[in-house]
Amino acid sequence: MKCIMRTIATAKTSVQPFAAVMVTQLNHKLVQVAKNPSRPQFNHYLFEAISCAIRNSCQGGSAEVIAEFEGTLFPTFQIILQGDILEFQPYVFQLLAQLLEARAAPAPDAYIQLLPFLLAPVLWQSNANSQPLVRLLRAYMAKQGLGMLEGRLEGMLGIFQKLIASKLTDADGFALLQGICEVLPLARLEQF
């Protein structure tokens, strides 16, 4: 898997014609390893290969290619998140952030429906999830702007407080706060 990841990374944008085959085969492997995640190094390189494929194939924001990746990967991501496969969650959040960052604004409904789940306190208990979740929430804010924070600001500030309470995650907390400050008007922040 390391060889496949390096090949995709080295090939850069020349992998674009093979995006459909690539994402299908990588997703097939992901489904298999999700059933029994027992080889951490293999799993890591599998997710890195998927990440390289997204980065190299979705450059330029081609809506069709991004939609193809999402259509193939989202069902597997749902299985991983609903099945509480904890060792894969940070990878899934990073890939979701990468896909959302590659899209044009606004975020599609599939992402919006996922948002309440991402704000659940149980996800933020694991330090491994904090950085990818913050990246994903910042991608939401970049695509949705102020609308993403409507009715969620207090929860987001609660996440910020939880993150800055630990030296391990305080930088992630400030990254989240920075994302909030970038989209929220100063007048709204004054009440806090």
Side-chain angles (χ1 to χ4, degrees):
M1 190 48 64
K2 186 176 183 178
C3 178
I4 293 171
M5 182 272 300
R6 287 199 175 164
T7 302
I8 295 170
T10 304
K12 302 217 182 276
T13 56
S14 61
V15 299
Q16 286 177 339
F18 312 104
V21 174
M22 198 169 33
V23 72
T24 302
Q25 292 301 316
L26 290 171
N27 184 62
H28 178 67
K29 278 289 182 205
L30 182 56
V31 169
Q32 288 178 334
V33 299
K35 294 175 185 172
N36 184 17
S38 59
R39 296 170 40 203
Q41 198 168 25
F42 178 87
N43 299 340
H44 172 77
Y45 287 116
L46 173 61
F47 280 102
E48 285 293 326
I50 295 170
S51 177
C52 288
I54 292 170
R55 183 179 57 245
N56 294 341
S57 298
C58 298
Q59 280 183 347
S62 169
E64 297 84 29
V65 174
I66 296 169
E68 188 171 344
F69 271 81
E70 291 169 343
T72 303
L73 294 171
F74 269 35
T76 308
F77 290 170
Q78 276 186 312
I79 291 168
I80 290 170
L81 295 175
Q82 290 172 348
D84 278 339
I85 304 172
L86 301 177
E87 53 268 78
F88 285 0
Q89 285 182 350
Y91 293 114
V92 169
F93 297 139
Q94 287 177 14
L95 294 176
L96 285 170
Q98 197 175 2
L99 285 167
L100 186 55
E101 289 165 353
R103 279 192 152 278
D109 288 339
Y111 288 95
I112 301 302
Q113 292 169 359
L114 187 61
L115 191 53
F117 170 74
L118 300 176
L119 298 176
V122 71
L123 285 180
W124 295 90
Q125 290 174 353
S126 170
N127 289 340
N129 285 345
S130 64
Q131 189 172 14
L133 280 170
V134 166
R135 179 180 175 189
L136 182 53
L137 291 178
R138 289 192 66 172
Y140 271 99
M141 288 184 267
K143 299 302 175 188
Q144 293 297 110
L146 188 58
M148 186 267 181
L149 294 174
E150 292 301 323
R152 299 180 184 100
L153 183 58
E154 287 77 18
M156 299 277 282
L157 292 174
I159 292 169
F160 162 72
Q161 285 181 321
K162 189 243 179 270
L163 292 173
I164 63 166
S166 168
K167 283 191 176 248
L168 293 173
T169 58
D170 63 348
D172 299 326
F174 285 112
L176 179 63
L177 183 63
Q178 180 182 4
I180 293 170
C181 291
E182 288 172 357
V183 297
L184 198 63
L186 187 58
R188 289 278 309 273
L189 280 174
E190 289 176 353
Q191 70 186 20
F192 297 101

